[in-house]
Amino acid sequence: MPISSNSVHNNQNQSGSMNTAAAKRTFRSGGGTITVREGETLKGVVSDIHGNEITISMEDGSSFTGKLPEASQYSIGQKAAFLITGLDSGTIYMKAVSQAYLLGMEDTIEQALEEAGLPKSPRNLEIVRSLLLNQQSISRENIAESLQLCAKYPDADVNSVITMKRLGMPMDTATVTQFDQYNKQTHQLLTRMDALVDSVNELLTGLAEENPSIARYATGEVLDMMLQSLPSLEEQNLTATQLQTNLSASPEAETEGAELLPGEENQEISPQSAEDSQTAGQTATTPFARMRQLLNGITDRVSSPAGAETKPTGFIPEQTGHLLTAEERSSLSDLLGKYTENKERLTSLEKGDLTARELLTNIKNTLATLPDEELHQLVSQKAFQKVVKGQFLSGWTLSPEGLKEEGSIDTLYSRMQQQFSDLTNLSRMFATRNSGEQIINTTSDLQQNLAFMKMLNEQFAYMQLPLKLSQQNAHGDLYVMTRKNALKKSKDNLKALLHLEMDSLGTLDIHITKDHTSISTQFYAAKEAARKLLEKNVELLKDAINEQGYSFTSEFLAKEKDIDLVHDFIENDSPAPPAAVKRYNFDLRA
């Protein structure tokens, strides 16, 4: 095991001149000197490894670099020992001690801080630990630089800051905060959107208690925001079906007097719109366009398998029958019945057929004539608040059918950005109120979240998918694991991960691999009951995939770990180091 560096050389095949009474001798090594004698054991820390070159930093601060064929067997940060077997002119003969001992990470961290002359505070220990975990140098200079960088973001997780620096990502308070949330899996848009609407309802209720005139204005502004967006695909299909039913029942009937929903004036609606949009999107070449084709049938089949605990209500998510109980619909109908002459609408509300859009349009039209007391009763009523939340979230989520439409994701996020901005502007008028401040903070966080997602997509194909399923809204993440540059070269090979979080099925990760016309899937379910349920109903999914011209195979496994944004996605093309070897870029000489 020869080790050599300038005047330091080790050769196990030479014993040297062994002399138990030998005196110490000094040898020059690099920019310093090393004093040793025969029979002495040199102990030090492996501070760097490059190929077969290994650098050993001694306990007294001296160090030398030598060549060692078995260098890869050592780890940076490992404490190694070599026995001096002989000394010659300019040469030290050594052999590795079989019982070499390891320096644990915590000891390494403390030693690095000692060498850098820094206190062993919890913050400093955490920063050095993160540098080691990120395989970064823990020289005095790098530790000092990292301390300064982390000080700029005192509220962020240290490891997030160090990791972003290593990855070369743009860093400011917003991006560091968002990276921290994504890394900790606390980034879900759906959770924040739910809280945002609660704050909106709280604001309207508080205003109605104190100043009905301002409350009337604010309520009108909020209703306008919700009603400006076009109807969802499900609403369009429902309207088309109702229209066709009415025409079939009354062939002579004309459309005069029919009440169009906001935004429908110049829009031709057809029950085939989803299918037509899907066909039109089949020629798209973006990663997400290809994933939409791949996901055709997966999300809705997986999220609502036969035998699931929840049973369909017969209403689409936008109808009051889905959003409200029969008692809530009746209570709301009684309140509105005093101020509306449209009894058909009230009957439709009680039956549950009325959509949230239709109900809120009717409320907006009667808002000006609503007495102050009834205005307060309305905006503070649980049923009204649930309809407001349902309408907002309907505009901020996509159904599996809507996901298939070309451009649907871009439209979704564009609508979000606009409405978040509108809510921010409205809430600035009431920023002194707790609910107003909460709206501003939440919309700011949501907008930063969207901006961070856009930044990620400059290099990686990733998108959050706030999903509107038949019985619930669910958070989804779509990671296209195949890099964008690789997709340009081969459009027939694609790897993706669809991450779903659902109340009934729990957390579910679906790994999807497409090789030309073959699709293989691996389902990782957190709940054993969910895994068994999916296995039992996988034929439904297989049929849906086969209908698109693909062959399909599946495998079901227990979910054992969460997604790691950095290692599982951003760095997924990098080969993983051997599990037994921990490589730390460690240099105590600085």
Side-chain angles (χ1 to χ4, degrees), residues 191-207 218 222 379 385 388-389 392 396 423 426-427 430 433-443 446:
T191 303
R192 288 166 173 76
M193 293 187 300
D194 193 271
L196 173 60
V197 184
D198 286 340
S199 296
V200 171
N201 280 322
E202 183 182 341
L203 175 63
L204 296 180
T205 300
L207 289 174
V222 169
V379 298
Q385 294 178 355
V388 168
K389 175 174 284 191
F392 264 127
W396 298 338
L423 284 170
L426 176 64
S427 299
F430 315 106
R433 292 176 171 271
N434 183 57
S435 53
E437 183 182 10
Q438 287 178 343
I439 293 173
I440 294 171
N441 291 339
T442 306
T443 51
L446 284 164

Side-chain angles (χ1 to χ4, degrees), residues 67-100:
K67 293 183 178 179
L68 180 66
E70 295 84 359
S72 62
Q73 296 179 6
Y74 289 86
S75 302
I76 296 176
Q78 179 178 340
K79 212 170 186 181
F82 296 90
L83 176 66
I84 299 175
T85 60
L87 299 172
D88 202 348
S89 177
T91 304
I92 301 175
Y93 299 96
M94 301 183 301
K95 69 176 181 180
V97 177
S98 59
Q99 299 298 322

Side-chain angles (χ1 to χ4, degrees), residues 493-543:
N493 295 286
L494 188 65
K495 290 184 179 180
L497 166 61
L498 177 62
H499 172 83
L500 299 173
E501 295 178 10
M502 296 168 289
D503 292 339
S504 57
L505 297 181
T507 303
L508 180 67
D509 290 341
I510 309 173
H511 291 258
I512 308 166
T513 302
K514 175 182 177 291
D515 184 1
H516 293 80
T517 59
S518 297
I519 293 178
S520 60
T521 57
Q522 291 178 309
F523 293 85
Y524 292 85
K527 295 182 179 180
E528 184 178 359
R531 179 175 56 82
K532 291 181 178 179
L533 185 62
L534 291 167
E535 279 187 284
K536 181 179 178 181
N537 294 278
V538 71
E539 291 300 318
L540 297 174
L541 176 58
K542 182 178 181 180
D543 292 343

